[in-house]
């Protein structure tokens, strides 16, 4: 369990973490969300004792990180991908970590195997891609069979296969009762991975709630509809008070009406439907709205400043299809 | 909570032995040894320290012994033991690079955050790193010093001048040469810990050992007389010399003691910064 209690970190004039309090419980994945620059990495560094807080405390199972008898055996951490000497081999990088607290050498080869880096174990990390660097960082985090994992942006630089791999791994680890605390600036990624979510903006707590509740409360209901009679349907929907946006591929995105209502409306007008699927796509939009005031750098008003932070345009068909391809449950499904 | 054996995600892995208690100095020492031996820069810096220092000493002594007009009577007055070791003047600068990089590379690569996450108690990490760097620099320093002396002194013996490890104070000077090289690395290590920046640490190390000594030559004579002997190079240099001008020079071991005070101050400041500043 991680407890963050009234944590403050100031760098000169800047307040990176501002009276932050939350708890990360074992047995589930807790997502740590916020725009870039919100203070996520700083908070993680404070938890790990790399930085000293200006005030407040961060405790791991009731103790400051520095007082854990054998930290590597309790906590696995992944910070920036490149906290590695480029001239050292992957094997030796893990070996010097293992040696700090009696983790046997054989374990080094095993975790390298687990993350799929055995073939490059004896290669210097200089030539590693971003994704390989992330895998090495994850191997380091798993070295001591930790009860608790703290991962900063673990999917950064991973290919789609890698993303699914880490998502599955984290879910498995959580189901074994471990504590998983994972940061991301990608709302969609969190929506399919995390059970609980802690949202911060400008170092302050914005939300600390179960993911389902967060989605239910903040996500606009959007339904994707395809029909050969799109124009007639659009008119009928607008007449019933719905918002309708036509997509370039002919699909309609409908707000403010439930899928069932749309189906009934179409039936009553004799309109043929080819597709009718509730989306979770606009969750990012809701989240951006929520954190907009807290985004560090404000752009011109007509361009939402958080836009560049999120990797996909919210609500776009391409995005919802990509999410579906990655096995994202539709709205209402268990995550 | 023990999950090692029942775990499915990590189930393919052998269960770890029970935790042996508090991670401490022993583990840190093994870890630091792995770090230093597993990067090429260690081999490069130490290799070039060996080649450059021995090479310059040997070439210089060969030239002076065979191609100089100095007669035997005059040479007998010179500190030939110190002369056999004079490649140290450049070798110390390479040892500065080795000592500084042993700690600044942690910062330049960001791996210090990995290191300190595995072992968040910083004092044992710093102490282990210092010990490993000092040990390696000492061993290589002694090898350099002894080989330089043994080869170079043979040129003088072939000219009929008796010079061996049993010559007066020769053993002290030759052991001292290795100690001085190790001391240079330790000083630079301390500077590296304070500055956390490779170029900055090397520049200030070279500045302290080399530039300050040269600049002091521009001071008025009566200042020089009081100041010179306390400078790092002039004080530390006494330990690899057999002749000391009374009044102008410190004695061999007093001089080395002064030199080590510079090193100790740098290391203590470095330790303070390492322990207390954000990583």
């Amino acid at each position: 369990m991680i407890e963050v209690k009234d944590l403050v970190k100031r760098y000169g004039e800047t307040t990176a973490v501002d009276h932050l309090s939350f708890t990360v419980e074992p047995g589930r994945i807790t997502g740590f969300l916020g725009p870039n620059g919100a203070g996520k990495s700083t908070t993680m560094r404070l938890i790990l004792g790399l930085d000293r807080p200006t005030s407040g405390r961060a405790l791991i199972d009731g103790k400051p990180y520095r007082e854990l008898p054998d930290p590597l055996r309790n906590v696995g951490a992944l910070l920036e991908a490149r906290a590695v000497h480029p001239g050292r081999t992957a094997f030796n990088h893990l070996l010097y970590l293992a040696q700090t607290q009696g983790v046997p050498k054989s374990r080094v080869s095993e975790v390298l195997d687990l993350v799929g880096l055995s073939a490059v174990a004896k290669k210097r990390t200089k030539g590693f891609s971003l994704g390989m660097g992330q895998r090495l960082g994850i191997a380091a985090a798993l070295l001591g069979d930790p009860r608790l994992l703290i991962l900063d942006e673990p999917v950064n630089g991973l290919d789609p296969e890698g993303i699914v791999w880490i998502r599955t791994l984290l879910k498995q680890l959580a189901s074994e009762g471990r504590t998983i605390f994972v940061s991301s600036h990608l709302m969609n990624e969190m929506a399919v991975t995390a059970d609980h979510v802690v949202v911060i903006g400008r170092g302050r707590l914005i939300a600390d709630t179960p993911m389902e509740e967060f989605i239910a409360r903040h996500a606009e209901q959007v339904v994707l509809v395809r029909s050969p009679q799109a124009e007639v349907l659009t008119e009928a929907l607008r007449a019933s008070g719905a918002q309708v946006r036509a997509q370039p591929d002919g699909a309609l995105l409908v707000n403010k009406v439930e899928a069932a209502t749309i189906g009934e409306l179409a039936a009553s007008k004799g309109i043929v439907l080819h597709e009718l699927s509730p989306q979770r796509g606009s969750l990012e939009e809701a989240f951006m709205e929520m954190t907009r005031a807290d985004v560090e750098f404000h752009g011109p008003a007509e361009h939402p400043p958080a836009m560049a932070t999120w990797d996909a345009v919210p609500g776009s068909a391409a995005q919802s299809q990509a999410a579906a391809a990655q096995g994202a449950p539709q709205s209402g499904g268990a995550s | 909570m023990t999950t090692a054996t029942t775990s499915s995600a990590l189930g393919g892995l052998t269960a770890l032995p029970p935790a042996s208690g508090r991670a401490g100095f022993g583990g840190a020492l093994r870890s630091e040894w792995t770090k230093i031996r597993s990067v090429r820069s260690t081999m490069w810096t130490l290799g070039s320290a060996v080649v450059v220092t021995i090479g310059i000493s040997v070439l210089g002594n060969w030239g002076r012994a065979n191609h100089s007009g100095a007669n035997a009577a005059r040479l007998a007055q010179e500190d030939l033991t110190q002369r056999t070791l004079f490649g140290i003047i450049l070798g110390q600068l390479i040892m500065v690079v080795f000592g500084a990089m042993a700690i600044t590379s942690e910062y330049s690569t960001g791996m210090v955050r990995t290191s300190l996450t595995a072992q968040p108690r910083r004092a044992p990490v710093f102490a282990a790193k210092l010990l490993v760097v000092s040990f390696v620099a000492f061993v290589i320093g002694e090898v350099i010093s002894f080989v330089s002396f043994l080869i170079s002194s043979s040129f003088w013996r072939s000219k009929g001048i008796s010079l061996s490890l049993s010559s007066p104070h020769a053993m002290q000077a030759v052991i001292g040469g290795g100690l001085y090289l190790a001391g240079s690395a330790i000083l630079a290590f301390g500077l590296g810990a304070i500055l956390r920046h490779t170029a900055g640490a090397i520049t200030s190390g070279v500045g302290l050992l080399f530039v300050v000594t040269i600049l002091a030559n521009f001071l008025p004579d009566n200042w020089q007389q009081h100041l010179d002997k306390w400078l790092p190079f002039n004080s530390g240099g006494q330990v690899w010399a057999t002749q000391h001008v009374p009044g102008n020079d410190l004695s061999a071991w007093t001089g080395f003691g002064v030199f080590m005070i510079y090193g100790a101050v740098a290391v203590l400041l470095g330790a303070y910064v390492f322990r207390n500043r954000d990583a």
Side-chain angles (χ1 to χ4, degrees):
Chain A
M1 186 166 86
I2 307 171
E3 294 161 273
V4 170
K5 294 178 176 171
D6 202 27
L7 203 58
V8 177
K9 180 66 179 177
R10 290 198 191 93
Y11 298 100
E13 297 282 290
T14 328
T15 302
V17 176
D18 193 359
H19 297 282
L20 194 58
S21 298
F22 61 85
T23 303
V24 180
E25 302 282 350
R28 68 188 189 197
I29 301 174
T30 301
F32 192 29
L33 270 168
N36 284 333
K40 301 187 297 293
S41 296
T42 307
T43 305
M44 287 185 158
R45 291 157 54 85
L46 291 168
I47 293 171
L48 294 169
L50 290 170
D51 291 3
R52 281 177 194 270
T54 308
S55 67
R57 293 198 298 170
L59 302 176
I60 292 187
D61 295 334
K63 281 185 194 155
Y65 188 75
R66 281 191 201 207
E67 285 170 24
L68 296 176
D70 41 4
L72 207 62
R73 309 286 290 264
N74 293 289
V75 181
L78 168 78
L79 295 169
E80 317 96 297
R82 290 285 170 186
V84 171
H85 191 301
R88 192 174 281 126
T89 64
F91 184 86
N92 282 328
H93 174 70
L94 295 183
L95 179 62
Y96 85 71
L97 289 173
Q99 284 170 329
T100 58
Q101 33 222 297
V103 173
K105 211 171 182 175
S106 56
R107 177 83 178 180
V108 171
S109 312
E110 288 175 0
V111 290
L112 280 168
D113 205 33
L114 180 78
V115 302
L117 289 180
S118 313
V120 293
K122 302 285 180 186
K123 289 256 179 354
R124 291 169 203 281
T125 59
K126 198 180 296 181
F128 279 22
S129 67
L130 189 56
M132 286 159 87
Q134 285 296 65
R135 283 171 185 267
L136 181 59
I138 289 159
L142 296 175
L143 204 51
D145 196 16
R147 290 175 286 118
L148 204 146
L149 279 163
I150 296 177
L151 310 171
D152 196 3
E153 304 271 359
V155 302
N156 239 6
L158 288 180
D159 52 20
E161 186 200 357
I163 292 172
V164 173
W165 168 73
I166 185 135
R167 194 185 291 157
T168 314
L169 179 70
L170 292 183
K171 284 185 176 172
Q172 243 172 332
L173 292 170
S175 73
E176 292 163 10
R178 299 178 210 246
T179 310
I180 318 277
F181 187 46
V182 52
S183 83
S184 179
H185 64 283
L186 306 177
M187 182 66 222
N188 268 7
E189 178 51 35
M190 281 294 101
V192 294
T193 310
D195 309 305
H196 194 88
V197 66
V198 172
V199 185
I200 66 169
R202 279 201 184 179
R204 282 189 297 264
L205 188 71
I206 293 179
D208 178 359
T209 151
M211 185 53 95
E212 281 309 314
E213 205 179 303
F214 182 78
I215 291 169
R217 188 177 307 161
H218 298 288
E220 237 181 311
Q221 286 300 313
V222 178
V223 183
L224 183 127
V225 189
R226 283 179 204 279
S227 164
Q229 296 148 275
E231 279 177 29
V232 189
L233 181 62
T234 303
E235 230 167 83
L237 284 168
R238 285 199 174 131
S240 71
Q243 267 179 18
V244 183
R245 281 170 292 161
Q247 297 298 293
D249 64 350
L252 303 176
L253 283 176
V254 186
N255 292 51
K256 309 206 174 190
V257 184
E258 301 231 340
T261 318
I262 299 171
E264 283 158 18
L265 182 73
S268 70
K269 305 260 178 189
I271 299 170
V272 175
L273 295 186
H274 287 170
E275 184 178 352
L276 178 65
S277 55
Q279 304 290 305
R280 176 185 269 185
S282 67
L283 192 56
E284 298 232 331
E285 210 164 49
F287 179 54
M288 273 168 53
E289 190 56 52
M290 201 171 149
T291 56
R292 183 157 297 155
D294 293 300
V295 171
E296 196 70 43
F297 306 103
H298 286 262
E302 62 271 31
H303 301 293
M307 210 64 180
T309 307
W310 316 107
D311 66 340
V313 179
S316 77
Q319 183 206 19
S320 25
Q321 273 162 8
Q326 285 172 17
Q330 297 299 303
S331 150
S335 63
Chain B
M1 195 182 308
T2 48
T3 42
T5 45
T6 53
S7 123
S8 55
L10 307 178
L13 312 187
T14 10
L16 289 171
S20 54
R22 207 171 157 85
F25 186 68
L29 210 51
R30 278 188 290 278
S31 174
E32 292 302 329
W33 175 247
T34 299
K35 281 185 194 173
I36 204 126
R37 67 167 181 75
S38 63
V39 289
R40 277 181 182 160
S41 60
T42 304
M43 300 303 140
W44 279 111
T45 48
L46 294 179
S48 50
V50 169
V51 171
V52 167
T53 316
I54 296 174
I56 289 178
S57 298
V58 167
L59 270 175
N61 282 274
W62 175 79
R64 176 86 173 157
N66 294 299
H67 303 278
S68 120
N71 61 32
R74 208 184 121 202
L75 287 170
Q77 302 299 312
E78 283 186 15
D79 190 344
L80 289 179
T81 307
Q82 188 191 35
R83 181 175 288 281
T84 63
L85 302 172
F86 89 101
I88 287 175
I89 291 173
L90 277 175
Q92 62 176 347
L93 306 181
I94 305 176
M95 288 309 235
V96 162
V97 174
F98 169 70
M101 278 184 60
I103 187 150
T104 56
S105 68
E106 290 256 358
Y107 293 96
S108 61
T109 60
M111 70 179 261
V112 67
R113 290 185 282 278
T114 309
S115 302
L116 292 182
T117 304
Q119 173 51 288
R121 289 179 286 279
R122 298 183 183 184
V125 177
F126 188 85
K129 200 182 265 298
L130 175 64
L131 192 66
V132 166
V133 167
S134 310
F135 175 76
V136 171
F138 172 74
V139 169
I140 298 295
E142 292 299 343
V143 167
I144 288 173
S145 195
F146 272 87
V147 173
S148 294
F149 180 82
L150 293 175
I151 299 177
S152 300
S153 61
S154 70
F155 302 135
W156 297 109
R157 280 196 300 277
S158 70
K159 291 285 151 193
I161 296 166
S162 111
L163 185 61
S164 72
L165 284 173
S166 50
S167 303
H169 304 296
M171 189 57 105
Q172 161 247 304
V174 175
I175 292 174
L179 285 174
Y180 179 80
L181 288 171
S184 309
I186 292 169
L187 175 68
F189 179 84
L191 293 169
I194 298 168
L195 297 170
R196 299 183 165 189
H197 189 270
T198 306
I202 292 174
T203 309
S204 55
V206 170
L208 265 178
L209 290 176
F210 214 58
V211 183
V212 167
T213 316
I214 295 166
L215 287 181
N217 283 325
F218 297 103
L219 292 172
D221 281 357
N222 55 342
W223 289 28
Q224 273 190 44
Q225 210 183 349
H226 292 107
L227 187 70
D228 266 16
K229 60 183 166 193
W230 301 104
L231 298 180
F233 178 73
N234 294 341
S235 58
Q238 300 307 320
V239 80
W240 51 283
T242 60
Q243 297 174 4
H244 318 282
V245 183
N248 282 347
D249 295 335
L250 300 171
S251 72
W253 295 108
T254 310
F256 187 64
V258 170
F259 182 60
M260 287 316 288
I261 290 174
Y262 284 101
V265 169
V267 164
L268 287 174
L269 280 175
Y272 177 82
V273 171
F274 189 82
R275 241 182 88 91
N276 294 298
R277 251 178 67 181
D278 290 349

